[in-house]
Amino acid sequence: MQNRQLKKKLIWGLSLFLFILTSKGLAQDSPTVPSIIQEIIFEGNQTVETETIDFLVKTAPGAVLNPTYIRRDVKTLYATGLFDDIRVETKQVENGYQLVFILKERPVIQDIVITGSDAIGLNTLKEELTVKKGKHYDPVTVRESVSKLEDKYREKGFHFITITPRLV
């Protein structure tokens, strides 16, 4: 009886050993690419320095490819107000992945033109602007400038003023 139980345990252990051995062998037959980032590339940046973007992105070569961290990096880049669109692509390369950030920068304000302002001097109006020449276009800053200009006109008695910002 004891001999029989010993044989069962031996057969069971041998079967388990062979199963583990063959599963490892099968896993080695189908090589998988490690989830390690080998390289990070930034495409589409024209006025924003690559070094600046690289500083803001915390994901680095050698790190494990992690969607949560990549989302964090995209949010960080959007928070700068420098980009209209950010896409991230992964490309499988030898020994891991290449991470490509495809960036679309906001336009840079080349000039600010105020027309139709006979009631208040141009210099006075320009002092109220929060939008600045040479900076990236930011819709929030434009709204702030419009609001300040409208307040300035109301202060001077022009209560039905309409200001329409335009991008050219």
Side-chain angles (χ1 to χ4, degrees), residues 52-63:
T52 301
I53 301 166
D54 192 41
F55 175 77
L56 294 168
V57 170
K58 298 304 179 202
T59 303

Side-chain angles (χ1 to χ4, degrees), residues 112-160:
I112 299 170
V113 178
I114 299 174
T115 59
S117 61
D118 297 334
I120 302 176
L122 285 177
N123 288 337
T124 304
L125 292 175
K126 285 187 176 182
E127 287 173 5
E128 296 297 318
L129 295 177
T130 53
V131 172
K132 302 293 180 198
K133 184 178 171 180
K135 298 291 182 183
H136 284 86
Y137 171 78
D138 179 9
V140 173
T141 308
V142 170
R143 281 192 297 274
E144 287 173 2
S145 289
V146 167
S147 179
K148 284 185 168 194
L149 291 175
E150 288 172 341
D151 289 345
K152 191 59 134 177
Y153 271 98
R154 286 187 190 102
E155 202 177 275
K156 298 286 184 182
F158 297 94
H159 297 286
F160 301 105

Side-chain angles (χ1 to χ4, degrees), residues 28-85:
Q28 290 173 354
D29 289 342
S30 57
T32 58
V33 177
S35 305
I36 303 298
I37 299 169
Q38 296 299 322
E39 181 181 27
I40 298 177
I41 296 175
F42 304 107
E43 294 178 354
N45 54 312
Q46 296 171 354
T47 60
V48 180
E49 297 287 330
T50 300
E51 292 78 16
T52 301
I53 301 166
D54 192 41
F55 175 77
L56 294 168
V57 170
K58 298 304 179 202
T59 303
V64 174
L65 185 64
N66 185 327
T68 303
Y69 294 158
I70 295 170
R71 274 191 298 277
R72 174 203 61 201
D73 290 333
V74 168
K75 284 180 182 179
T76 300
L77 290 174
Y78 269 123
T80 65
L82 300 172
F83 303 100
D84 272 335
D85 188 42

